[in-house]
Amino acid sequence: HVQLVESGGGSVQAGGSLTLSCAASGFSISRRCMGWFRQTPGTEREGVARIGSSGPRYADSVTGRFTVSKDVAKNTLILQMNGLKSEDSAMYYCAARNLPGCNAWSGFNDWGQGTQVTVS
């Protein structure tokens, strides 16, 4: 049974930092492309960062500020967010890709429930 549980969201002032975690169970994150997505009310979910065997990829809007990594020992996906801006406010979701490779924002079929990030 695949399960993804996000944590670490909260409220922070602009310029601050947050670290999101996604604890996975039922599979090994080392074997799959993992991603972080975000969504605000009335908008489509957008890809923020993803990581596979070829390394991380980021949305242009977060490049240089966010870092995605895998803690394989804990089977946990991490998103370190620095230099937060008000436009980063959103519900953040962790997801696992069900297709081979990690070359697109599509193909993610296993999702967590999300954690809210608010930047003021």
Side-chain angles (χ1 to χ4, degrees):
H1 174 63
V2 172
Q3 188 173 20
L4 299 169
V5 180
E6 301 96 335
S7 62
S11 296
V12 65
Q13 291 187 338
S17 299
L18 280 175
T19 301
L20 304 185
S21 297
C22 172
S25 57
F27 72 102
S28 173
I29 64 169
S30 65
R31 298 175 181 269
R32 292 176 68 178
C33 173
M34 300 293 296
W36 286 100
F37 295 75
R38 66 187 181 188
Q39 187 173 25
T40 55
T43 68
E44 291 191 359
R45 193 173 296 184
E46 66 169 346
V48 174
R50 65 183 190 263
I51 182 168
S53 59
S54 60
R57 296 291 184 270
Y58 299 95
D60 290 344
S61 59
V62 306
T63 297
R65 299 187 297 121
F66 290 12
T67 302
V68 62
S69 61
K70 292 181 178 180
D71 185 336
V72 175
K74 296 182 179 179
N75 212 33
T76 297
L77 184 70
I78 306 294
L79 185 67
Q80 176 66 44
M81 306 187 294
N82 298 324
L84 284 162
K85 306 175 181 179
S86 58
E87 51 263 44
D88 295 318
S89 296
M91 185 70 79
Y92 282 72
Y93 299 90
C94 166
R97 197 167 193 255
N98 295 65
L99 297 175
C102 201
N103 58 350
W105 295 114
S106 60
F108 289 80
N109 297 106
D110 293 313
W111 295 85
Q113 294 300 305
T115 185
Q116 179 69 40
V117 171
T118 302
V119 184
S120 59

